[in-house]
């Protein structure tokens, strides 16, 4: 229906929007080009929205009275301004909410914000899918059949039925899954996994039910099947994320990112819209790759993350017997002296640093060290924050220049030439047991080789606690390790004072 | 467009996505998630089609609601990405 009336320029405009989105991601290959990329993304979105508004602007065509002559002007289609104003008001309302949130949000709360945003994409996809189901003619996906007796009705094309039901199902899973991820990341809900009995059987049953009713919708266009698929998809999204523990949230957020992309792609198929399909594919692959990177950084398989439960069992007995081993304690003055005399200091920040809000005073410390002629670098493990790249943002916010910040594979060889490794708020990602102890739950996980540095300074609140993975850290008991037991922020403040 | 031509675009775009995303520096993975989130709100196109169409009032109101949700995401997503990217600075020297 709509395809017939569309000018080739419309398809071209959507293609341009799609290319803008590709270039937006391409710009993120380097911080220097990233802002230009983001602007291109905005331009692409503007093109897509304006094109849609212009081609779908609602019109009123007045019906000519029979026998009327000389009223040609009257018969011309006119723009129906009421829906246009409604749409612009809806966009303005969204803009105000979105811009206010973006301005106010703390950088530490970024993972929650992204999860919340994903839930909105998911819900929007569901609403669009339902709207397309209720008014298929407007989306150009149905033929109107007029039977001999009764009302004319819309028959949705079979291929569109598949696209529609897929879009709605993925959108619903994205929505409910993201809501749970948001609640967990926001600590509104406990981060520990909630394990239902027989959860794998329940999930399998749900998945089969969705497939069964989706087939029913495909075969008969039954409204009941449509609503059942939507309802089950909402429930399974909830059930899938509830058993996943806080430590695995970076994977979950990336995975939901991917889902929101696939939902957009499915809707793009329904509308035959290039911009939506290209975007969906980009976002879908992006989320999938990020999930893969996060899994690799934790040496976990994607399946084991999705199956859930990590962090529920590991917290127990492990490492208890090691507490009595001898270890060395240092003061802020010792730390300041060691670092002042060093040639190179590598700072290893973890999420604990962000929790203690120590990033700003940490940069002050780095500045002081640089004044003393010390070379300062930062080493970031891929899972150092609560989402991919989170730690880099937190350091950037504290005005740490990005060329001082290094990824695991770029800095690991450097530790052997480093005089002091300064570990703050990180734990599991520095544990040498990951390389040597086959019985350790984190065995095989790539870690930062901090123990190769001349001295390791390790800030920790007390000797008792363990990391996310619930294992003791071999590093604490090494000869070249000095434990600085205090609140991270206070300790760094004292070191800054001692540096003079 | 035929289903096959749409599918071709989709498959090729997946490959483009794969290579482009691997070229993103890990330091910018959080902005990457924020911006992909913003652009996946291109779903607003479907929402606009639904809101502009006459005939079924229910579909229209669902469409308008989806327009609000998607534009929260578009404006919020791009703005927060811009805010983050502005913080990444080179060494002064």
């Amino acid at each position: 229906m709509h395809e017939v009336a569309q000018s080739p320029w419309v398809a071209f405009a959507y293609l341009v929007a799609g290319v803008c989105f590709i270039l937006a991601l391409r710009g993120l290959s380097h911080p220097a080009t990233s802002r230009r990329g983001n602007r291109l993304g905005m331009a692409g979105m503007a093109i897509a929205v304006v094109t849609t508004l212009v081609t779908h602007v609602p019109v009123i065509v007045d019906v000519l009275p029979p026998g009327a002559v000389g009223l040609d002007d009257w018969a011309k289609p006119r723009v129906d301004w009421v829906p246009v104003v409604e749409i612009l008001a809806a966009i303005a309302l969204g803009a105000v909410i979105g811009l206010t949130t973006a301005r106010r949000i703390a950088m530490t709360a970024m993972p929650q914000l992204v999860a919340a945003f994903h839930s909105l994409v998911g819900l929007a996809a569901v609403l669009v899918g339902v709207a397309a189901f209720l008014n298929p003619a407007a989306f150009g996906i149905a033929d109107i059949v007029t039977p001999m007796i009764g009302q004319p009705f819309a028959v949705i094309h079979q291929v569109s039925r598949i696209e529609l039901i897929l879009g709605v199902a993925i959108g619903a899973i994205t929505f409910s899954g993201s809501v749970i991820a948001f609640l967990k990341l926001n600590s509104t809900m406990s981060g520990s996994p909630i394990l239902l009995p027989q959860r794998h059987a329940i999930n399998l049953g749900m998945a089969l039910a969705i497939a069964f009713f989706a087939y029913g919708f495909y075969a008969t266009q039954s409204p009941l099947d449509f609503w059942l698929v939507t309802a089950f998809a909402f429930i399974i999204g909830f059930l899938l994320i509830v058993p996943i523990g806080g430590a695995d949230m970076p994977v979950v957020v990336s995975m939901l990112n991917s889902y929101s992309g696939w939902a957009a792609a499915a809707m793009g198929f329904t509308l035959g819209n290039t911009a939506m399909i290209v975007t969906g594919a980009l976002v879908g692959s992006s989320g999938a790759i990020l999930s893969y990177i996060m899994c690799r950084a934790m040496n976990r398989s994607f399946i084991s993350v999705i199956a859930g439960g990590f962090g529920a069992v590991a917290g127990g007995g492990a490492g208890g017997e090691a507490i009595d081993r001898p270890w060395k304690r240092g003061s802020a003055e010792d730390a300041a002296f060691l670092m002042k005399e060093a040639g190179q200091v590598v700072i290893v920040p973890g999420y604990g640093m962000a929790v203690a809000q120590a990033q700003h005073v940490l940069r002050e410390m780095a500045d002081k060290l640089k004044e003393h002629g010390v070379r300062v670098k930062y080493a970031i493990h891929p899972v150092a924050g609560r989402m991919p790249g989170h730690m880099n943002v937190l350091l950037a916010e504290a005005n740490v220049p990005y060329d001082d910040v290094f990824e695991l594979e770029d800095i690991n060889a450097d530790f052997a030439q480093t005089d002091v490794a300064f570990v703050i708020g990180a734990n599991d990602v520095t544990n040498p047991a990951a390389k040597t102890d086959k019985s350790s739950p984190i065995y095989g996980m790539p870690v930062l080789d901090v123990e190769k540095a001349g001295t390791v300074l390790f800030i920790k609140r007390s000797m008792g606690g363990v990391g996310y993975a619930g294992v003791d850290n071999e590093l604490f008991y090494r000869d070249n390790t000095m434990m600085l037991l205090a609140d991270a922020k206070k300790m760094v403040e004292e070191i800054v004072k001692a540096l003079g | 467009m035929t289903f096959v031509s749409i599918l071709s675009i989709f498959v090729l775009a997946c490959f483009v996505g794969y290579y482009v995303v691997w070229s993103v520096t890990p330091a910018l993975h959080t902005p990457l998630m924020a911006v992909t989130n913003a652009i996946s709100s291109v779903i607003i196109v479907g929402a606009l089609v639904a809101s502009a169409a006459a005939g079924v009032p229910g579909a229209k109101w669902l469409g308008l609601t989806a327009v609000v949700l998607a534009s929260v995401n578009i404006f919020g997503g791009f703005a927060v990405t811009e805010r983050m990217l502005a913080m990444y600075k080179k060494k002064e020297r």
Side-chain angles (χ1 to χ4, degrees):
Chain A
M1 296 181 73
H2 276 275
E3 295 96 306
V4 184
Q6 266 185 9
S7 114
W9 288 106
V10 174
F12 185 71
Y14 285 127
L15 177 63
V16 172
V19 172
C20 283
F21 294 148
I22 296 174
L23 294 175
L25 298 201
R26 179 70 196 147
L28 291 175
S29 58
H30 195 274
T33 55
S34 59
R35 295 180 79 182
R36 194 175 59 210
N38 195 36
R39 307 254 158 83
L40 274 169
M42 296 180 197
M45 190 58 78
I47 292 171
V49 169
V50 170
T51 308
T52 315
L53 277 177
V54 169
T55 50
H56 288 84
V57 65
V59 289
I60 305 171
V61 186
D62 296 313
V63 183
L64 278 177
V69 193
L71 290 170
D72 289 353
D73 277 353
W74 192 38
K76 272 187 191 150
R78 300 180 280 121
V79 172
D80 184 0
W81 287 106
V82 178
V84 176
V85 170
E86 285 170 348
I87 289 171
L88 294 179
I91 294 178
L93 176 62
V96 170
I97 302 172
L99 292 175
T100 320
T101 317
R103 199 157 302 150
R104 290 203 186 144
I105 194 81
M107 284 301 142
T108 37
M110 216 50 213
Q112 294 95 298
L113 181 74
V114 168
F117 278 169
H118 287 157
S119 74
L120 296 185
V121 181
L123 190 56
V126 174
L127 295 180
V128 172
V130 173
F133 173 65
L134 295 176
N135 192 1
F139 283 75
I141 54 169
D143 297 317
I144 307 296
V145 175
T146 314
M148 303 282 271
I149 324 151
Q151 293 288 315
F153 58 92
V155 176
I156 303 175
H157 304 147
Q158 280 206 313
V159 80
S160 301
R161 289 182 202 167
I162 307 176
E163 295 156 4
L164 206 55
I165 204 74
L166 263 179
V168 170
I170 303 173
I173 294 174
T174 311
F175 171 73
S176 51
S178 300
V179 168
I180 300 298
F182 169 81
L183 292 175
K184 288 200 174 194
L185 287 164
N186 204 32
S187 304
T188 318
M189 189 175 152
S190 156
S192 57
I194 298 165
L195 302 174
L196 295 173
Q198 297 298 319
R199 62 202 157 89
H200 294 307
I202 296 174
N203 288 346
L204 185 67
M206 284 278 180
L208 289 175
I210 289 176
F212 177 77
F213 293 120
Y215 180 78
F217 179 71
Y218 162 75
T220 63
Q221 198 186 317
S222 140
L224 179 66
D225 287 343
F226 183 84
W227 300 120
L228 282 174
V229 170
T230 313
F232 279 126
F234 275 121
I235 299 171
I236 203 170
F238 171 81
L239 290 178
L240 277 175
I241 309 303
V242 157
I244 303 179
D248 286 338
M249 276 301 138
V251 181
V252 170
V253 174
S254 315
M255 185 185 79
L256 292 166
N257 185 237
S258 178
Y259 287 0
S260 70
W262 303 130
M267 286 301 153
F269 272 89
T270 307
L271 285 164
N273 184 300
T274 318
M276 287 170 85
I277 294 169
V278 170
T279 312
L282 288 179
V283 179
S285 350
S286 164
I289 290 172
L290 291 176
S291 318
Y292 168 76
I293 293 176
M294 290 295 108
C295 284
R296 189 180 58 182
M298 296 191 293
N299 191 38
R300 308 269 318 277
S301 79
F302 188 68
I303 300 294
S304 83
V305 171
I306 296 309
F310 190 68
V313 277
E321 81 285 356
I323 298 295
D324 292 335
R325 291 164 59 185
W327 48 277
K328 264 187 284 193
R329 181 172 186 160
S331 67
E333 287 73 28
D334 300 333
F337 177 78
L338 274 167
M339 288 197 281
K340 213 161 34 176
E341 302 300 314
Q344 171 163 292
V345 171
V346 175
I347 299 172
V348 180
Y351 192 68
M353 176 209 73
V355 172
Q357 290 291 323
Q359 56 269 47
H360 296 276
V361 64
L362 186 68
R363 202 218 61 245
E364 254 180 73
M365 184 189 92
D367 289 348
K368 282 260 161 70
L369 288 174
K370 284 179 186 172
E371 280 168 28
H372 283 98
V374 181
R375 203 164 48 242
V376 181
K377 292 177 176 178
Y378 295 79
I380 308 240
H381 191 278
V383 292
R386 282 290 185 82
M387 70 188 284
H390 193 194
M391 194 52 64
N392 301 76
V393 175
L394 295 170
L395 291 178
E397 191 192 17
N399 285 323
V400 172
Y402 61 76
D403 27 14
D404 280 353
V405 182
F406 296 85
E407 303 300 322
L408 177 120
E409 55 267 36
D410 299 324
I411 193 117
N412 248 355
D414 243 28
F415 279 109
Q417 288 91 49
T418 298
D419 303 285
V420 178
F422 188 80
V423 184
I424 170 167
N427 189 349
D428 295 333
V429 299
T430 62
N431 195 342
K435 288 175 281 193
T436 49
D437 179 6
K438 283 194 176 150
S439 66
S440 170
I442 59 168
Y443 179 73
M445 171 171 144
V447 287
L448 290 157
D449 299 334
V450 287
E451 77 280 2
K452 292 192 181 143
T455 309
V456 179
L457 297 174
F458 200 110
I459 301 191
K460 203 169 178 300
R461 198 175 284 273
S462 68
M463 280 310 279
V466 287
Y468 243 156
V471 285
D472 198 23
N473 195 339
E474 183 61 26
L475 193 61
F476 304 159
Y477 315 103
R478 295 231 169 187
D479 286 342
N480 64 340
T481 302
M482 190 187 272
M483 301 300 295
L484 307 170
L485 298 185
D487 172 73
K489 191 176 179 185
K490 267 201 202 111
M491 178 51 79
V492 180
E493 276 167 357
E494 278 170 36
I495 294 174
V496 170
K497 247 181 254 158
L499 283 169
Chain B
M1 265 197 286
T2 62
F3 179 74
V4 175
S5 55
I6 299 177
L7 188 65
S8 316
I9 295 173
F10 177 70
V11 172
L12 294 177
C14 283
F15 279 95
V16 172
Y18 180 85
Y19 288 105
V20 169
V21 171
W22 273 116
S23 78
V24 172
T25 168
L28 292 177
H29 275 163
T30 296
L32 171 70
M33 290 189 90
V35 82
T36 50
N37 190 53
I39 66 173
S40 64
S41 303
V42 72
I43 194 128
I44 196 172
V45 167
L48 290 171
V49 172
S51 335
V56 185
K60 185 188 150 171
W61 287 109
L62 289 175
L64 279 174
T65 314
V67 170
V68 176
L69 298 180
S71 55
V72 169
N73 237 324
I74 292 173
F75 286 92
F78 281 123
V80 88
T81 310
E82 190 71 18
R83 201 180 131 198
M84 280 191 276
L85 294 177
M87 297 186 312
Y88 282 80
K89 292 192 188 77
K90 241 181 131 66
K91 225 178 290 188
E92 302 152 17
R93 233 170 260 166

